[in-house]
């Protein structure tokens, strides 16, 4: 590998002062004799990484792990207290959409100003101006002051200028997390183009999906330290494993700390709910795992003509499945006053996400609920080593024409 | 590798490459944009716009002329009409004091940019001083009617005007850089600067003739004042400007002008050093 690296970060440390009392004026400083008392906080401690030209690095990690601080050090906005940062080529940093906008200015004027701030010559902006405006879909508003823009319009204009940047090194902080779906897609497309042209991109994000899609290398920051650096799949995998481990501990706690108080209409109630996997009760499943939902119920007298009801709701509100028991089978049956209903899924088809269940028991004759527990107990589904995305597997398979031959490996 | 959900669309072409340009050229482009922004921002706020920026020195000229020439019967060097002398000095001073006061708040008032965008922040200060320069050059048109009304001499010494514009520009930039950096850490500096500039105005022979100081060069107060007067680089800048503009002479006190240029250069160097040191912590402090 003879090519020089695009970004070289060596032993970077950055410390912040957290002021208890901050004297920001001469008067206060003189009266209180000093700039105020503060504690030191190391936001980044000894991080090193080398990014070859043309690669895309994703920085992941929890809030406050030092991701953005590191990015600002690379951008040159913050100066590290120790270590060095070297960037080869023209750098553009995009730390906040529209941060260079002047509210009194028209969209047109702001495109020029923002472009200049990001290092683009006026002549270049002139040549891509029409493209920027078209990309933002703001043709009709381009001569209005941006203070009259809606937040969506404001964002679109910022994005458009940003994705028409033409730097050798592009730093992006979380900005793709906003904007509507269609627009976000176009931005990602654009970034993909830049990538294809061999630009170096550093991308800070909470969205692991975006990091997986865009980045070939990932850096996992944890409390200011680089926990892992390497191929995206491996690093993201390690990160997810850690997050899951922590979440499992949290879910487990939630599981035991929420006993259900039986009690509903006519004394019919649910006493316990549990998820059972391959190795017993758990709240963590892998797509394709055996899954069982157990509902323990109680009633003062044997249950006549009752309907059980379960609904799986993903965290974003998507209902993956609603499944009641069959009224035709149960309307004339009498069930014991205490018992357990089980919903069995031999191979869980749900794809990655956090799900909750809504569980209820209703009277078939009147349709009225005895009891209904809305979106209780979360469980997590992970999808590893699978290419499918979405809510659930559909039992799908591909059929392709028979291959002519095997490709000669390069 | 994970499959791409929706990125599989084949991309047609790509953004055109930006023609390569040096850091200097890019900074010049950016400075132009920033100056454009600063100049526009100044005029956009008020209804009268440019008109007001021309009216303001005329009003003050009228007031000072009445006070000093009519009421106090001051006589200006070379028998120059008070209005011409005062307006010339006021235009230079307005430029200088505007440049310094805008420069002082230049970094802090752009905190959004400093926190989020990486570019040479020193350009914020340079641009606010340059925007004041643009205003100044526009305001110089006021001298045209003064030349016509008072039949002021026009001559070769006017070739020196660019130098007489550059010296206060450099001086304001030097002082401005120091204050801009200081204002990030001490936010009341802005207000102190306003008071300081007002005091400085009266320590400079702008509204009164310089010989007034020589006449009152006795007693402790007089001595201190005349000392300030001599070490004040603006004394010599204004003096030379008056010589050139109102009397058509080459500057009488060359040594004073050279001294002012020297002070300006030293302050600029100091300003750059201090600003560049302080800027390491701007993003955390603003």
């Amino acid at each position: 590998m003879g090519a020089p690296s695009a970004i070289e970060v060596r032993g970077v440390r950055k410390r912040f002062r957290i002021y208890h009392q901050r004297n920001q004026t001469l008067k206060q400083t003189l009266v209180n004799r000093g700039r105020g008392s503060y504690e030191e906080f190391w936001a980044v401690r000894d991080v090193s990484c080398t990014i070859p030209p043309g690669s895309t690095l994703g920085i992941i990690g929890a809030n406050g792990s030092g991701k953005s601080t590191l990015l600002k050090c690379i951008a040159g906005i913050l100066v590290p207290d120790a270590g060095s940062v070297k960037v080869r080529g023209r750098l553009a940093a995009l730390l906040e959409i529209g941060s260079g906008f002047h509210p009194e200015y028209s969209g047109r004027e702001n495109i020029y100003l923002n472009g200049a701030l990001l290092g683009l010559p006026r002549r270049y902006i002139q040549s891509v101006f029409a493209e920027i405006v078209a990309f933002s879909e703001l043709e009709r508003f381009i001569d209005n002051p941006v203070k009259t823009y809606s937040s969506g319009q404001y964002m679109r204009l910022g994005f458009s200028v940003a994705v028409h940047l033409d730097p050798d090194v592009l730093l992006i902080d979380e900005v793709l997390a906003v904007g509507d779906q269609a627009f976000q897609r176009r931005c990602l497309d654009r970034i993909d183009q830049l990538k294809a042209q061999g630009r170096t991109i550093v991308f800070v994000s909470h969205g692991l999906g975006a990091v997986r899609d865009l980045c070939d290398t990932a850096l996992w920051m944890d409390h200011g330290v680089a926990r892992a650096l390497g191929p995206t799949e491996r690093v993201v995998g390690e990160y997810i494993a850690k997050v899951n481990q922590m979440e499992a501990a949290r879910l487990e706690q939630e599981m035991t700390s929420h006993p259900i108080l039986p009690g509903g209409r006519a004394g019919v109630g649910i006493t316990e709910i549990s998820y059972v996997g391959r190795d017993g009760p758990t709240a963590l499943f892998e797509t394709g795992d055996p899954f069982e939902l157990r509902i323990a119920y109680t009633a003062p007298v044997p249950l006549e003509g009752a309907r059980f009801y379960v609904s799986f709701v993903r965290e974003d509100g998507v209902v993956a499945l609603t499944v009641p028991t069959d009224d035709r089978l149960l309307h004339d049956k009498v069930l014991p006053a205490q018992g357990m209903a089980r919903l069995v899924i031999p191979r869980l088809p749900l794809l990655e996400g956090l799900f909750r269940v809504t569980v209820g028991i209703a009277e078939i004759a009147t349709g009225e609920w005895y009891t209904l527990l809305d979106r209780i107990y979360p469980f997590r589904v992970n999808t590893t080593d699978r290419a499918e995305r979405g809510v659930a597997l559909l039992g799908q398979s591909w059929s392709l024409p028979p291959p002519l031959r095997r490709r000669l490996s390069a | 590798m994970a499959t791409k959900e929706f990125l599989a669309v084949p991309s047609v072409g790509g953004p055109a490459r930006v023609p390569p340009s040096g850091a200097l050229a890019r900074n010049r482009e950016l400075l132009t944009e920033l100056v454009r922004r600063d100049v526009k921002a100044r005029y956009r706020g008020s209804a009268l716009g440019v008109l007001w920026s021309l009216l303001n020195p005329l009003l003050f000229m009228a007031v000072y002329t009445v006070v000093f020439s009519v009421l106090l019967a001051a006589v200006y060097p070379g028998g120059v009409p008070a209005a011409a002398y005062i307006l010339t000095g006021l235009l230079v001073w307005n430029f200088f004091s505007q440049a310094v006061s805008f420069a002082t708040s230049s970094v802090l008032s752009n905190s959004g940019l400093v926190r989020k965008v990486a570019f040479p922040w020193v350009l914020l200060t340079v641009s606010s001083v340059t925007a004041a320069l643009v205003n100044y050059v526009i305001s110089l048109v006021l001298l045209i009617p003064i030349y016509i009304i008072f039949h002021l001499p026009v001559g070769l010494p006017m070739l020196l005007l660019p130098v007489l514009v550059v010296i206060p520009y450099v001086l304001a930039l030097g002082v401005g850089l120091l204050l801009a950096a200081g204002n990030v850490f001490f936010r009341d500096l802005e207000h102190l600067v306003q008071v300081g500039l007002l005091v400085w105005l009266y320590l400079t022979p702008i509204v009164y003739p310089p010989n007034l100081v020589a006449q009152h060069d006795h007693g402790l107060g007089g001595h201190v004042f005349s000392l300030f007067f001599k070490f004040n680089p603006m004394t010599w800048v204004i003096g030379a400007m008056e010589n050139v503009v109102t009397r058509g002479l080459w500057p009488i006190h060359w040594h004073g002008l050279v001294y002012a240029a020297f002070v300006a250069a030293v302050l600029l160097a100091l300003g750059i050093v201090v600003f560049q040191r302080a800027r390491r912590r701007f993003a955390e402090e603003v």
Side-chain angles (χ1 to χ4, degrees), chain A residues 203-249:
Chain A
F203 182 53
V204 165
S205 183
H206 288 292
L208 293 178
V211 171
R212 270 182 167 155
D213 286 340
L214 288 172
C215 305
D216 31 56
T217 316
L219 171 67
W220 168 17
M221 292 289 294
D222 188 19
H223 293 95
V225 178
R227 276 285 287 264
L229 172 67
T232 304
E233 279 309 304
R234 180 172 67 76
V235 175
V236 169
E238 282 173 32
Y239 175 63
I240 289 177
K242 176 76 200 293
V243 170
N244 282 342
Q245 201 186 323
M246 284 165 62
E247 193 166 84

Coordinates of all heavy atoms in Angstrom, one line a residue, chain A residues 203-249:
Chain A
F203 N -18.2 9.5 8.5 CA -19.6 9.6 8.7 C -19.9 9.2 10.1 O -19.6 8.1 10.5 CB -20.2 8.6 7.7 CG -21.7 8.5 7.6 CD1 -22.4 9.7 7.5 CD2 -22.3 7.3 7.7 CE1 -23.8 9.6 7.4 CE2 -23.7 7.2 7.7 CZ -24.4 8.4 7.5
V204 N -20.4 10.2 10.9 CA -20.8 9.9 12.3 C -22.3 9.6 12.3 O -23.1 10.4 11.8 CB -20.5 11.1 13.2 CG1 -21.2 10.9 14.5 CG2 -19.0 11.1 13.4
S205 N -22.7 8.5 12.9 CA -24.1 8.2 12.9 C -24.6 7.3 14.0 O -23.8 6.4 14.4 CB -24.5 7.6 11.5 OG -25.9 7.4 11.5
H206 N -25.8 7.5 14.4 CA -26.5 6.5 15.3 C -27.2 5.4 14.4 O -27.5 4.4 14.9 CB -27.5 7.2 16.1 CG -26.9 8.0 17.2 ND1 -26.2 7.5 18.2 CD2 -26.9 9.4 17.4 CE1 -25.8 8.5 19.0 NE2 -26.3 9.7 18.5
G207 N -27.4 5.8 13.2 CA -28.1 4.9 12.3 C -27.2 3.8 11.8 O -26.4 4.0 10.8
L208 N -27.2 2.6 12.4 CA -26.3 1.6 12.0 C -26.6 1.1 10.6 O -25.7 0.7 9.9 CB -26.4 0.4 13.0 CG -26.0 0.7 14.4 CD1 -26.2 -0.5 15.3 CD2 -24.5 1.1 14.4
G209 N -27.9 1.2 10.2 CA -28.2 0.8 8.8 C -27.4 1.6 7.8 O -26.8 1.1 6.9
A210 N -27.4 3.0 8.0 CA -26.7 3.8 7.1 C -25.2 3.6 7.1 O -24.6 3.6 6.1 CB -27.0 5.3 7.4
V211 N -24.7 3.3 8.3 CA -23.2 3.0 8.4 C -22.9 1.7 7.6 O -22.0 1.6 6.8 CB -22.8 2.9 9.8 CG1 -21.4 2.4 9.9 CG2 -22.9 4.2 10.5
R212 N -23.8 0.7 7.8 CA -23.6 -0.6 7.1 C -23.7 -0.4 5.6 O -22.9 -1.0 4.8 CB -24.7 -1.5 7.5 CG -24.3 -2.4 8.7 CD -25.5 -3.3 8.9 NE -25.0 -4.3 9.9 CZ -25.9 -5.0 10.7 NH1 -27.2 -4.7 10.6 NH2 -25.5 -5.9 11.5
D213 N -24.6 0.5 5.1 CA -24.8 0.6 3.7 C -23.7 1.4 3.1 O -23.3 1.2 1.9 CB -26.1 1.3 3.4 CG -27.3 0.4 3.6 OD1 -27.1 -0.8 3.6 OD2 -28.4 0.9 3.8
L214 N -23.2 2.4 3.8 CA -22.2 3.4 3.2 C -20.8 3.1 3.5 O -19.9 3.5 2.7 CB -22.6 4.8 3.6 CG -23.8 5.4 3.1 CD1 -24.1 6.7 3.8 CD2 -23.7 5.6 1.6
C215 N -20.5 2.5 4.6 CA -19.1 2.5 5.1 C -18.4 1.1 4.9 O -19.0 0.1 5.1 CB -19.0 2.9 6.5 SG -19.8 4.5 6.8
D216 N -17.2 1.2 4.5 CA -16.4 -0.1 4.4 C -15.6 -0.3 5.7 O -15.2 -1.4 6.0 CB -15.6 -0.2 3.2 CG -15.1 1.1 2.7 OD1 -14.4 1.8 3.5 OD2 -15.3 1.5 1.6
T217 N -15.4 0.8 6.4 CA -14.6 0.6 7.7 C -15.5 1.3 8.8 O -16.1 2.3 8.5 CB -13.3 1.4 7.6 OG1 -12.7 1.0 6.4 CG2 -12.4 0.9 8.7
A218 N -15.4 0.8 10.0 CA -16.1 1.4 11.1 C -15.2 1.6 12.3 O -14.3 0.8 12.5 CB -17.4 0.7 11.4
L219 N -15.5 2.7 13.0 CA -14.7 2.9 14.3 C -15.8 3.0 15.4 O -16.7 3.8 15.3 CB -13.9 4.2 14.1 CG -13.3 4.8 15.4 CD1 -12.2 3.9 15.9 CD2 -12.8 6.2 15.1
W220 N -15.6 2.2 16.4 CA -16.5 2.2 17.5 C -15.9 3.0 18.7 O -14.9 2.6 19.2 CB -16.8 0.8 17.9 CG -17.6 0.6 19.2 CD1 -18.3 1.5 19.9 CD2 -17.7 -0.6 20.0 NE1 -18.8 1.0 21.0 CE2 -18.5 -0.3 21.1 CE3 -17.2 -1.9 19.8 CZ2 -18.8 -1.2 22.1 CZ3 -17.5 -2.9 20.7 CH2 -18.3 -2.5 21.9
M221 N -16.5 4.1 19.0 CA -16.0 4.9 20.1 C -16.8 4.6 21.4 O -18.1 4.5 21.3 CB -16.2 6.4 19.8 CG -15.4 6.9 18.6 SD -13.7 7.1 19.1 CE -13.7 8.3 20.3
D222 N -16.1 4.5 22.4 CA -16.8 4.2 23.7 C -16.1 5.0 24.8 O -14.9 4.7 25.1 CB -16.7 2.6 24.0 CG -17.5 2.2 25.2 OD1 -18.4 3.0 25.6 OD2 -17.2 1.2 25.7
H223 N -16.8 5.9 25.4 CA -16.2 6.7 26.5 C -14.9 7.4 26.1 O -13.9 7.3 26.8 CB -16.1 6.0 27.8 CG -17.4 5.6 28.4 ND1 -18.0 4.4 28.1 CD2 -18.3 6.3 29.1 CE1 -19.1 4.3 28.8 NE2 -19.3 5.5 29.4
G224 N -14.8 7.9 24.8 CA -13.6 8.6 24.4 C -12.5 7.7 23.9 O -11.5 8.1 23.5
V225 N -12.7 6.4 23.9 CA -11.7 5.4 23.5 C -12.2 4.7 22.3 O -13.3 4.4 22.2 CB -11.4 4.4 24.6 CG1 -10.4 3.4 24.2 CG2 -11.0 5.1 25.9
A226 N -11.2 4.4 21.4 CA -11.6 3.6 20.2 C -11.7 2.1 20.6 O -10.6 1.5 20.9 CB -10.6 3.8 19.1
R227 N -12.9 1.6 20.7 CA -13.0 0.2 21.1 C -12.7 -0.8 20.0 O -12.2 -1.8 20.3 CB -14.5 0.0 21.6 CG -14.7 0.4 23.0 CD -14.1 -0.6 24.0 NE -14.8 -1.8 24.1 CZ -15.8 -2.1 25.0 NH1 -16.0 -1.2 25.9 NH2 -16.4 -3.3 25.0
A228 N -13.1 -0.4 18.8 CA -12.8 -1.3 17.7 C -12.7 -0.5 16.4 O -13.3 0.5 16.2 CB -13.9 -2.4 17.6
L229 N -11.8 -1.0 15.5 CA -11.6 -0.3 14.2 C -11.4 -1.4 13.2 O -10.5 -2.3 13.4 CB -10.4 0.6 14.3 CG -10.0 1.3 13.0 CD1 -11.0 2.2 12.4 CD2 -8.7 2.0 13.2
G230 N -12.2 -1.4 12.2 CA -12.0 -2.5 11.2 C -13.1 -2.6 10.2 O -13.9 -1.6 10.1
P231 N -13.3 -3.7 9.5 CA -14.4 -3.8 8.6 C -15.7 -3.6 9.2 O -16.0 -4.0 10.4 CB -14.3 -5.3 8.1 CG -12.9 -5.7 8.4 CD -12.4 -4.9 9.6
T232 N -16.6 -2.9 8.5 CA -17.9 -2.4 9.1 C -18.6 -3.6 9.8 O -19.1 -3.5 10.9 CB -18.7 -1.8 8.0 OG1 -18.0 -0.7 7.5 CG2 -20.0 -1.2 8.6
E233 N -18.8 -4.7 9.0 CA -19.6 -5.8 9.5 C -19.1 -6.3 10.9 O -19.9 -6.5 11.8 CB -19.6 -6.9 8.5 CG -20.6 -6.7 7.4 CD -22.0 -6.3 7.9 OE1 -22.6 -7.1 8.7 OE2 -22.5 -5.3 7.4
R234 N -17.8 -6.4 11.0 CA -17.2 -6.9 12.2 C -17.5 -5.9 13.4 O -18.0 -6.3 14.5 CB -15.7 -7.2 12.1 CG -15.1 -7.8 13.3 CD -13.7 -8.2 13.1 NE -12.7 -7.1 12.8 CZ -12.2 -6.3 13.7 NH1 -12.6 -6.4 15.0 NH2 -11.4 -5.4 13.3
V235 N -17.1 -4.7 13.1 CA -17.2 -3.7 14.2 C -18.6 -3.4 14.6 O -19.0 -3.4 15.8 CB -16.5 -2.3 13.8 CG1 -16.7 -1.3 14.8 CG2 -15.0 -2.6 13.5
V236 N -19.5 -3.3 13.6 CA -20.9 -3.1 13.9 C -21.5 -4.3 14.7 O -22.2 -4.1 15.6 CB -21.8 -2.8 12.6 CG1 -23.2 -2.9 12.9 CG2 -21.4 -1.5 12.0
G237 N -21.0 -5.5 14.3 CA -21.5 -6.7 15.0 C -21.1 -6.7 16.4 O -21.9 -6.9 17.3
E238 N -19.8 -6.3 16.7 CA -19.3 -6.2 18.1 C -20.1 -5.2 18.9 O -20.5 -5.4 20.0 CB -17.8 -5.8 18.1 CG -16.9 -7.0 17.7 CD -15.5 -6.5 17.6 OE1 -15.1 -5.6 18.3 OE2 -14.7 -7.1 16.8
Y239 N -20.4 -4.0 18.2 CA -21.1 -3.0 18.8 C -22.5 -3.4 19.2 O -23.0 -3.2 20.3 CB -21.1 -1.7 17.9 CG -21.9 -0.6 18.5 CD1 -21.6 0.1 19.6 CD2 -23.0 -0.1 17.8 CE1 -22.3 1.1 20.1 CE2 -23.8 0.9 18.2 CZ -23.4 1.5 19.4 OH -24.2 2.6 19.9
I240 N -23.2 -4.1 18.2 CA -24.5 -4.5 18.5 C -24.5 -5.6 19.6 O -25.4 -5.5 20.5 CB -25.1 -5.1 17.2 CG1 -25.4 -4.0 16.2 CG2 -26.4 -5.9 17.5 CD1 -25.9 -4.5 14.9
A241 N -23.5 -6.4 19.6 CA -23.5 -7.5 20.6 C -23.4 -6.8 22.0 O -24.1 -7.2 22.9 CB -22.3 -8.4 20.4
K242 N -22.6 -5.7 22.1 CA -22.4 -5.0 23.4 C -23.7 -4.4 23.8 O -24.2 -4.5 24.9 CB -21.3 -4.0 23.2 CG -21.1 -3.2 24.5 CD -20.4 -3.9 25.5 CE -20.5 -3.4 26.9 NZ -19.9 -2.1 27.2
V243 N -24.3 -3.7 22.8 CA -25.6 -3.0 23.1 C -26.7 -4.0 23.5 O -27.4 -3.8 24.4 CB -26.0 -2.2 21.8 CG1 -27.5 -1.6 22.0 CG2 -25.1 -1.0 21.6
N244 N -26.7 -5.1 22.7 CA -27.7 -6.1 23.1 C -27.5 -6.7 24.5 O -28.5 -6.9 25.2 CB -27.6 -7.3 22.1 CG -28.3 -6.9 20.8 OD1 -29.1 -6.0 20.7 ND2 -28.0 -7.6 19.7
Q245 N -26.3 -6.9 24.8 CA -26.0 -7.4 26.1 C -26.5 -6.5 27.2 O -27.1 -6.9 28.2 CB -24.4 -7.5 26.2 CG -23.9 -8.5 27.2 CD -22.4 -8.3 27.3 OE1 -21.7 -8.1 26.3 NE2 -21.9 -8.4 28.5
M246 N -26.3 -5.2 26.9 CA -26.7 -4.2 27.9 C -28.3 -4.1 27.9 O -28.9 -4.0 28.9 CB -26.1 -2.8 27.6 CG -24.7 -2.7 28.0 SD -23.8 -1.3 27.3 CE -24.8 0.0 28.0
E247 N -28.8 -4.2 26.7 CA -30.3 -4.1 26.6 C -30.9 -5.3 27.2 O -32.0 -5.2 27.9 CB -30.7 -4.0 25.1 CG -32.1 -3.5 25.0 CD -32.4 -3.1 23.6 OE1 -32.7 -3.9 22.8 OE2 -32.4 -1.9 23.4
A248 N -30.3 -6.5 27.0 CA -30.9 -7.7 27.6 C -30.9 -7.6 29.1 O -31.9 -8.0 29.7 CB -30.0 -8.9 27.2
A249 N -29.9 -7.0 29.7 CA -29.9 -6.9 31.1 C -31.0 -5.9 31.5 O -31.7 -6.2 32.5 CB -28.5 -6.3 31.5

